[in-house]
Amino acid sequence: VPSWRDRRSQQDRETHLFEWSHTFGAMIARAAPFLELEWVREHLLRPFLVQDTETLQVLAEFASSMVTRHVLDAVEVPSNAFPLLQDCVARVLSDFTFWPSGHRAGEVNGYDMPKLIDALLFVNVESAPGAARFANGDWSSIGIVMPLVTQLVTSIGWSTYVMGKFLTLCERAGVAYPLDDFIKQTSAVLTSIANAKGAWVGTSLPARTAGIIQRLAEENYALRVDQAQGLLKLLDALIDLGDRRSAALQQTEAFRGVREQRTAT
């Protein structure tokens, strides 16, 4: 991306750069565990963290390959894997797509940004029986990715695309998903939902969220008071979005004690 090339000539060369971009991104991911973290950041990754569509192609392939090769497939996750993926999260959060005041805020389009988000939410591979974790159906070690997931979801989970992929993560992880983290993440999303400017209307996101709440509430019964209160607040927000299932869930056994206290006050 030389500074002297104008935008028109860059567009003319996009088809020629496609294979190079993806090959180079995968190569950086393969090499990263064998090199010092700061050297990889400075010399290999930093040039692709800028706001540019061509560099995003490389970054998306890097993140996808990094997750597949060094998180899903590796018996031991390399020490620099998550710090480098953290850099990718920071790039996503700074993208103009997620500026609440921007035109069509939160609408994720194209090929590369969706691929990057899928990787950073660890849903880029649906099923791989030979994997070391997650894609093989074993989510017992999901805690290792919670810092990345929390930062991404609490910041831009109001985007329908991001929230959809987050719910996919929760659905795949099932009862292994940490309840306290889910409450924190989803509370932040529903608090900032105004940023989506009504984009949730007509989607299945509220119903899917209610389904996950039901599953986690049943699995973690009897709930601590703070957990029950947190889930009830989520259900209140979902009811405001028009989800009828959430109203029924508030009457279930899991929330009886807290519900009675709320009624008394």
Side-chain angles (χ1 to χ4, degrees), residues 18-39:
F18 181 83
E19 184 176 354
W20 182 91
S21 297
H22 289 266
T23 301
F24 189 63
M27 184 185 72
I28 297 174
R30 290 199 305 271
F34 305 102
L35 303 168
E36 293 183 356
L37 171 61
E38 293 307 320
W39 194 93

Side-chain angles (χ1 to χ4, degrees), residues 54 123 246:
E54 290 181 344
V123 294
S246 297

